[in-house]
Amino acid sequence: MRDASPQTVYLKDYTPPEYLIDQIELHFELDEQRTRVQARMNVRRNPHSSADSVALKLWGEELQLLSIAIDGRPLQENEFVVGDEALIVHEAPQDRPFELLIENLIDPQANTALEGLYLSSSMLCTQCEAQGFRKITWFLDRPDVMSRFKTTLVADKAKYPVLLSNGNKTGSGELENNRHWVSWEDPFAKPCYLFALVAGQLACVADQFVTMNGRRIDLQIFVEQHNVDKCGHAMQSLKNAMRWDEQSYGLEYDLDLYMIVAVDHFNMGAMENKGLNVFNTKFVLARPDTATDSDYEHIEGVIGHEYFHNWSGNRVTCRDWFQLSLKEGFTVFRDQQFSGDMTSPAVKRIEDVNALRTRQFAEDAGPLAHPVRPEAYIEINNFYTLTVYEKGAEVVRMLHTLLGAAGFRKGCDLYFQRHDGQAVTCEDFVKALEDANGVELGQFRRWYSQAGTPVVTVEQDYDAANGRLQLTLRQSCPPTPNQPVKQPLHIPVKLGLLNADGSPTTFEFAGERHSEVTLDLTAAEQSFSFGNLAGKPVVSLLRGFSAPVTLQMPRSLDELAFLLSHDSDTFNRWEAGQQLATQAIFQLIDSIELDRPLQLEPVVVDAYRRVLADAGGDLSYQALLLALPEESYLSGQMPVIDVEAVHQAREFVKKTLAENLTEQFLELYRQYHRDESGCFDAGAVGRRRLKNTCLSYLSKLETPDSHRLAEQQFRAARNMTDQIAALAAIVNSHHPDQADCLDSFYRQWQQEALVIDKWFTLQATSSMPNTFAKVQNLMRHPAFDMKTPNRVRALVGAFSQSNPLHFHAANGEGYRFLADRVIELNALNPQIASRMVSGLAQWRRYDANRQSLMKQELQRIVATDHLSKDVYEIASKSLA
C-alpha cells in the first residue's frame, strides 16, 4: 500500500499569511552529516490577515529540533508541537513583534532528494524553490512572506574554504580548530525560496561589469578547479545579459556582487537565488572540444534567464505558487528575446515553437493538462511544467504582439515601478499593461485560466470580380480535465498575402493599405475581408506563430512547396516545409497500413532540391528548412499513434531524399566541412549545422562511402559539435565500427561528466534494433549513477521520452523498465521520479494492447509503498 492520499491545495483557498517575518538571521555550523542551524526571526502578526487563530504554524521537514524560544524564553513542551511537516506554537504574541529563536540539526549527506541543504560531491549547496527552505529550518515557507536575510556560515577551512550566501559579504574571520566564518547580508527583502548557501573547495573566475549608470559590479563564477578553463563563455554570456537587460528594459543590477556556482547534482537547470545563482554544471561549463554549438547557445540562454529573474521574479515575485508563470513565463519570453538577438531571431523562434508544439501541445492534450495559472496542485514541484514556462511565454508574447514593442515596454516599466519589492499575481501584470496603454484585456485573461490548445480552422472565399478575399476563422478548444466547456479566447493572428509569382502583395483591410496585419480573433466564428487584390493571393497565416494554436487550413502539396520557396515570413516558410513533409509522411503511413508500395511525391523532392540550392544567407536557418518533423510531433497528429508506421514512413522520406539528392548533399557537405574549432560566430555555427545536417541525410544511404564519411569526421573532429554529429550518424546506422567508435569516445572523455551524458543519450535514443538491450546494459555501467539527475535524464529520460520506436515496443518491455526506474527513484529523488512518469501519461493515445500495458505500469506505480506526493500526483492524474 502507498501512503495516505496527500492533500490538494487550491488557488481559491488562498489567504494572506497570518504572520510576517521581517528579518531572519541564520547561523550555520556546517558539516556534511550534522549541520547545526540557528534561525533568529523577527515575527509579527500580519495586519492584513483576518484569521482569528493565535497559533503560529511554521513549515519544516526532516529536521531535528534542539531548542525553541520566544524573546529569549525557552518554550515548554506543552507550548508547541512538532509534526512531520510543521512546528506549531500554540499561542504566539498578538499585540507586538517578537523574536523567535529556533535551533535544529540537518543531515545534508542523507538528502538525496536535493532539496534544502545537500551534499553534491564534496560541496554543500542548497535548492529552496519551491519549498526546500523548510528542509533547512522551520519557517513561513511561502513566497508572499518576504524577509531580509543575514547569514553567517561557519565551517572547517580545509573542507570548505569558500563560504557563500546571498547579498553582499559583510565580514569574515578565523576560529579555533582550523575553522572560519563568513557573514553575508542581502539588503532586499525576499521570499525564503530565494535563499542560497554554498560551501566547498571552489576556484573563482572573476570579472567586472560597468552598468549604464557607471557602477562597477564584481562578477564571480565558482567551479571545481579542473573546470576553470570552461567558464569563459558563461562569463561573457552574463555580461551580454546584463547589457541587454539595460538596453531592452532599462533594468540595472542592484547589488555590488553577482555570483554563479556550478554544481554536479541539481534537479533543475539553474536557480535565480538573489545574487548567488546555483547552476547545473550543464549550463555553465563549455569548451569547444567538450560542448556543442547548441550547448553554447543553451548556456547563454539559461545564464540570461536566471539573470533576468533579478527583476522578473526577485524584485517582483509571485504572491503564491499558482502565479508561477508570472515570473517564469515572463522570464522565458525575455530570455527568448535575448537569445534571438544574440544568435538568429528566425532560428530561435522556430526552435522554441518546435519544442512547444512537440511537447507542450502533448501536455495540453493529455490527462495532465492544466492552465498557465493552475487551479490546484498536490505537489508544487510538479507544476514546473512546459505549460507554465513555455506556454506562459507565448501568452506574454501575444501581449507583446497586441500592444506593440513600445506599448509592451511601457507596461513593463509601470509593472516594475508599481510592484517593486512586492509579491503579486498574474492579474497585477496584465493590469499594469492595461493601465500603461489605456486598453482593456478582459477576454485575453482567459489564456491564464483556460487549459488546452485552441484549434483555429480557416475557410477562404475569393471574389475575382471584385478582387476581394474573405477569410472565415473559427476557434474551438477540446475538453480538458475539469474544463469540459471552453470560452472563446482573444487570439492575435498575423497575416500576409503573396502574389502568384511569390512576391508580397499589399491589400486593403479596415479601410487602410497593409502589407501585413494582425487580426483580432475574439469570437467563436469571425470573418475578415481583404480588398484591392490584383489576383487570387496565397495566404500566409499565423506568421511568426503569433498564437499557440493549432491551425487547420487545407493546403495542397504544391501550395506548401510554393510557400517553402517564397514566403517572406521566416517562420511560415519553415512551417510550410514541415507541413509538406508531414502530408507526405502521412500519405506513406496510409500506404503502409494498406500494404501498398511506398513512393514519395516528386514535388517533395523538388522542394528540398530548391532548399539545398538556396545558397548563402543564414545557414542555420537553411539547416532547419532541411530538417524533417520529429516522430513525436508526427505522432501528435494521429488519433491513435502507430509508432512503427511513423518511424518507417519518416525514415523512407529521409532515405529517399538522400538517394535523390546525394550529389547536392555531398556538395554542401564538402563546401562547409572545415575545422573552425573555437569559432562561434553565426557563420561558423551555420556552416557546422548545415554540414552536419547533410551528413545525417547521407548516413541513411548505408554505403561504404557514407560510413567512411561519418567515421572520418568522427576521428578528425576537434570540436564536440562535429564529433557528436558524426557519432550520432554512426550510432543510428549499421556502421561496421559502431562499437569501436563508442568505446573510443568513452575512453577519450571518461573524465568529462557532461560529455559522457551525451554518450549515454546517443545510445538511448538510437533507432537501431538492439537499443533496449544496450540501455539495460548501460544501467549497469560503472559511469551510471541513479543519484545523479543529469545521468538519469541522459539515459532513462532520453530513452523514455525521446525514443518512441523502442520505448513503445509492443511487448511492453520499455514500460516495465520505466516503471521500475520510477519506483527506484521515488525513494531517492521524488522530483526526478515524477518527471519520468510523463513517459506513460499519454497511454490513451495508443492501441488497445499498449494502453493496457502502460496502464498496468501506472497502476503498479500508484500501488507502491511509501509513494511520494510528487509521483502520486502525476501517476494518479494520468490514470484518472
Side-chain angles (χ1 to χ4, degrees):
M1 294 290 292
R2 60 170 175 80
D3 290 346
S5 298
Q7 296 297 308
T8 300
V9 182
Y10 295 95
L11 171 60
K12 63 182 176 62
D13 294 336
Y14 171 83
T15 57
E18 296 178 27
Y19 292 85
L20 300 174
I21 300 174
D22 294 317
Q23 182 168 302
I24 177 172
E25 295 184 15
L26 291 165
H27 184 97
F28 289 85
E29 299 277 346
L30 294 169
D31 181 83
E32 61 186 42
Q33 291 181 292
R34 189 179 172 84
T35 287
R36 187 184 187 100
V37 184
Q38 181 187 83
R40 188 182 303 273
M41 294 169 265
N42 295 340
V43 188
R44 61 184 170 95
R45 187 79 187 188
N46 183 5
H48 299 293
S49 171
S50 58
D52 54 10
S53 171
V54 297
L56 169 62
K57 182 178 181 180
L58 303 174
W59 299 103
E61 298 177 10
E62 300 171 20
L63 307 173
Q64 180 184 340
L65 181 66
L66 297 179
S67 66
I68 179 172
I70 290 181
D71 290 334
R73 182 183 69 82
L75 297 188
Q76 303 301 309
E77 289 187 1
N78 65 344
E79 294 182 277
F80 67 93
V81 62
V82 177
D84 289 340
E85 296 185 345
L87 181 156
I88 300 174
V89 177
H90 298 310
E91 293 188 23
Q94 302 296 297
D95 57 347
R96 58 178 173 81
F98 60 92
E99 180 185 273
L100 177 66
L101 178 64
I102 295 177
E103 292 190 71
N104 61 272
L105 292 176
I106 49 181
D107 182 355
Q109 185 171 272
N111 184 3
T112 60
L114 311 185
E115 295 178 286
L117 180 65
Y118 64 92
L119 191 68
S120 173
S121 299
S122 61
M123 183 193 319
L124 289 170
C125 56
T126 56
Q127 171 55 33
C128 294
E129 187 176 354
Q131 296 175 338
F133 192 79
R134 62 187 62 184
K135 292 187 176 182
I136 293 175
T137 192
W138 283 277
F139 199 73
L140 291 175
D141 189 359
R142 46 188 289 171
D144 56 355
V145 174
M146 301 179 70
S147 313
R148 292 185 305 278
F149 279 71
K150 295 182 179 180
T151 306
T152 299
L153 309 176
V154 180
D156 182 280
K157 193 171 184 178
K159 279 188 175 180
Y160 307 110
V162 174
L163 301 174
L164 309 174
S165 192
N166 307 86
N168 298 316
K169 185 176 179 180
T170 56
S172 63
E174 305 293 321
L175 298 170
E176 295 178 350
N177 301 319
N178 197 37
R179 295 172 68 76
H180 70 137
W181 64 273
V182 178
S183 59
W184 297 84
E185 182 173 355
D186 186 348
F188 296 96
K190 64 175 180 286
C192 65
Y193 82 83
L194 291 172
F195 172 77
L197 175 166
V198 174
Q201 297 176 349
L202 297 166
C204 177
V205 176
D207 206 334
Q208 279 194 333
F209 178 80
V210 180
T211 71
M212 59 185 177
N213 289 315
R215 294 174 50 241
R216 290 192 174 273
I217 310 298
D218 288 321
L219 310 178
Q220 297 177 342
I221 298 179
F222 291 89
V223 295
E224 293 180 275
Q225 181 63 49
H226 65 274
N227 287 323
V228 166
D229 62 341
K230 303 188 189 81
C231 296
H233 177 64
M235 182 64 80
Q236 186 58 52
S237 297
L238 175 57
K239 291 192 287 186
N240 291 346
M242 297 176 82
R243 180 66 65 209
W244 183 89
D245 213 19
E246 290 181 347
Q247 295 171 346
S248 301
Y249 284 86
L251 300 174
E252 184 178 84
Y253 186 60
D254 49 8
L255 293 172
D256 300 327
L257 175 65
Y258 191 94
M259 298 175 287
I260 289 173
V261 181
V263 301
D264 288 328
H265 298 79
F266 206 65
N267 285 339
M268 303 182 183
M271 178 62 209
E272 71 268 18
N273 322 292
K274 182 71 180 183
L276 177 60
N277 291 180
V278 180
F279 270 67
N280 190 319
T281 51
K282 180 178 181 179
F283 296 109
V284 173
L285 306 180
R287 202 175 61 202
D289 60 330
T290 61
T292 65
D293 294 336
S294 292
D295 292 333
Y296 272 78
E297 290 178 354
H298 288 148
I299 287 169
E300 185 164 55
V302 176
I303 292 277
H305 180 96
E306 305 309 331
Y307 175 76
F308 302 145
H309 264 315
N310 187 62
W311 280 92
S312 52
N314 295 4
R315 288 285 289 261
V316 183
T317 194
C318 47
R319 184 196 72 177
D320 54 73
W321 290 118
F322 298 100
Q323 318 296 329
L324 181 59
S325 196
L326 173 76
K327 73 183 186 75
E328 295 300 348
F330 186 17
T331 305
V332 168
F333 171 70
R334 277 157 43 77
D335 83 52
Q336 289 175 349
Q337 285 184 301
F338 166 66
S339 294
D341 288 347
M342 294 298 106
T343 55
S344 162
V347 170
K348 177 59 178 169
R349 185 64 184 140
I350 289 166
E351 290 175 343
D352 291 336
V353 173
N354 203 20
L356 180 88
R357 296 197 309 192
T358 301
R359 300 168 60 215
Q360 193 281 321
F361 278 20
E363 189 169 271
D364 259 352
L368 303 178
H370 59 274
V372 169
R373 183 182 56 211
E375 300 292 330
Y377 65 79
I378 292 174
E379 170 51 61
I380 183 55
N381 287 319
N382 288 333
F383 273 110
Y384 284 72
T385 62
L386 293 159
T387 298
V388 166
Y389 278 67
E390 310 304 330
K391 186 175 181 178
E394 294 298 318
V395 171
V396 176
R397 185 178 293 273
M398 286 188 288
L399 289 166
H400 185 277
T401 298
L402 291 169
L403 299 174
F408 183 78
R409 168 66 190 272
K410 188 163 61 169
C412 291
D413 288 347
L414 178 60
Y415 170 70
F416 290 124
Q417 175 190 348
R418 178 183 283 178
H419 298 297
D420 189 10
Q422 298 178 11
V424 298
T425 66
C426 297
E427 170 67 26
D428 292 317
F429 176 67
V430 178
K431 187 68 167 61
L433 298 179
E434 285 181 322
D435 291 350
N437 289 277
V439 298
E440 193 274 325
L441 295 167
Q443 184 180 3
F444 186 86
R445 285 171 169 80
R446 292 174 185 167
W447 280 103
Y448 284 99
S449 58
Q450 194 160 282
T453 302
V455 177
V456 175
T457 59
V458 183
E459 287 185 9
Q460 301 184 55
D461 182 13
Y462 179 65
D463 179 356
N466 294 302
R468 182 165 292 276
L469 172 71
Q470 179 170 294
L471 294 181
T472 300
L473 275 61
R474 299 180 181 89
Q475 62 164 303
S476 61
C477 190
T480 55
N482 304 313
Q483 289 188 343
V485 179
K486 304 303 174 75
Q487 295 178 298
L489 296 166
H490 185 173
I491 302 174
V493 181
K494 278 191 177 181
L495 171 142
L497 301 177
L498 280 68
N499 290 313
D501 63 357
S503 62
T505 186
T506 59
F507 50 88
E508 182 186 278
F509 176 74
E512 296 182 3
R513 296 291 296 177
H514 297 272
S515 58
E516 184 178 79
V517 68
T518 299
L519 310 176
D520 290 298
L521 175 61
T522 55
E525 180 176 325
Q526 214 166 330
S527 293
F528 302 90
S529 183
F530 311 92
N532 200 18
L533 298 170
K536 183 177 181 180
V538 177
V539 180
S540 173
L541 203 61
L542 203 67
R543 287 187 151 193
F545 199 67
S546 56
V549 303
T550 296
L551 185 66
Q552 293 185 350
M553 184 176 183
R555 303 270 203 188
S556 67
L557 291 179
D558 287 330
E559 188 175 17
L560 290 169
F562 173 86
L563 288 168
L564 175 58
S565 294
H566 298 294
D567 202 324
S568 57
D569 182 78
T570 52
F571 175 82
N572 272 13
R573 185 183 174 201
W574 170 82
E575 171 67 352
Q578 295 292 289
Q579 294 308 314
L580 176 69
T582 297
Q583 283 197 30
I585 288 169
F586 276 107
Q587 288 179 2
L588 292 166
I589 290 173
D590 290 341
S591 296
I592 291 169
E593 292 175 348
L594 296 171
D595 198 25
R596 293 194 306 232
L598 302 187
Q599 184 173 356
L600 183 62
E601 294 285 348
V603 65
V604 179
V605 177
D606 291 340
Y608 278 81
R609 180 179 287 110
R610 285 192 293 274
V611 173
L612 283 166
D614 188 13
D618 186 341
L619 298 183
S620 290
Y621 178 65
Q622 188 178 2
L624 280 177
L625 292 178
L626 290 168
L628 296 176
E630 296 295 328
E631 290 180 25
S632 50
Y633 171 78
L634 295 165
S635 296
Q637 316 306 306
M638 304 181 77
V640 178
I641 296 171
D642 186 337
V643 290
E644 289 95 347
V646 168
H647 177 74
Q648 183 182 346
R650 185 180 183 277
E651 286 292 290
F652 180 83
V653 170
K654 193 166 185 179
K655 184 175 182 180
T656 302
L657 290 174
E659 290 172 339
N660 283 271
L661 304 171
T662 301
E663 290 307 314
Q664 290 91 331
F665 281 121
L666 270 173
E667 182 181 353
L668 277 185
Y669 179 85
R670 290 166 180 154
Q671 181 179 349
Y672 296 123
H673 181 49
R674 64 190 74 169
D675 181 18
E676 295 182 279
S677 301
C679 295
F680 292 97
D681 58 273
V685 170
R687 285 186 285 275
R688 283 192 288 268
R689 282 195 176 138
L690 186 53
K691 177 260 305 267
N692 287 321
T693 297
C694 293
L695 180 66
S696 177
Y697 273 97
L698 292 167
S699 70
K700 294 303 172 185
L701 298 175
E702 295 282 10
T703 64
D705 285 344
S706 69
H707 291 160
R708 190 179 307 112
L709 195 68
E711 186 165 355
Q712 285 174 347
Q713 178 170 313
F714 172 73
R715 302 291 185 190
R718 295 295 176 266
N719 64 78
M720 185 52 62
T721 302
D722 284 350
Q723 191 176 26
I724 208 74
L727 188 57
I730 292 168
V731 168
N732 286 286
S733 70
H734 296 281
H735 196 291
D737 294 328
Q738 181 186 117
D740 180 67
C741 291
L742 283 166
D743 185 59
S744 171
F745 187 85
Y746 180 80
R747 283 186 278 106
Q748 182 182 359
W749 298 114
Q750 57 187 310
Q751 301 304 318
E752 297 286 347
L754 296 177
V755 179
I756 296 305
D757 286 340
K758 300 178 192 300
W759 181 79
F760 276 101
T761 295
L762 276 182
Q763 296 174 84
T765 55
S766 171
S767 59
M768 292 296 100
N770 61 344
T771 293
F772 182 65
K774 282 191 172 183
V775 169
Q776 289 180 303
N777 288 333
L778 287 169
M779 287 291 300
R780 298 185 288 272
H781 194 280
F784 184 77
D785 179 10
M786 284 288 281
K787 293 182 180 179
T788 303
N790 282 355
R791 198 54 45 92
V792 173
R793 285 186 282 257
L795 181 60
V796 181
F799 175 70
S800 60
Q801 296 169 16
S802 301
N803 195 338
L805 178 66
H806 292 301
F807 174 65
H808 291 288
N811 61 11
E813 60 187 8
Y815 309 148
R816 289 190 296 274
F817 169 81
L818 179 60
D820 287 344
R821 303 291 79 74
V822 168
I823 292 168
E824 184 179 356
L825 282 164
N826 176 71
L828 293 171
N829 190 326
Q831 274 192 50
I832 300 300
S834 69
R835 291 169 192 171
M836 294 294 125
V837 179
S838 61
L840 298 167
Q842 300 287 332
W843 59 276
R844 291 178 178 85
R845 300 292 310 283
Y846 294 85
D847 59 80
N849 174 61
R850 287 183 171 89
Q851 283 191 29
S852 175
L853 293 170
M854 296 170 84
K855 187 176 180 181
Q856 287 175 25
E857 297 307 325
L858 283 168
Q859 291 170 334
R860 180 160 70 95
I861 290 169
V862 170
T864 300
D865 289 341
H866 309 299
L867 194 65
S868 66
K869 290 190 299 182
D870 310 61
V871 175
Y872 170 75
E873 179 173 28
I874 300 300
S876 62
K877 285 183 176 179
S878 297
L879 285 167

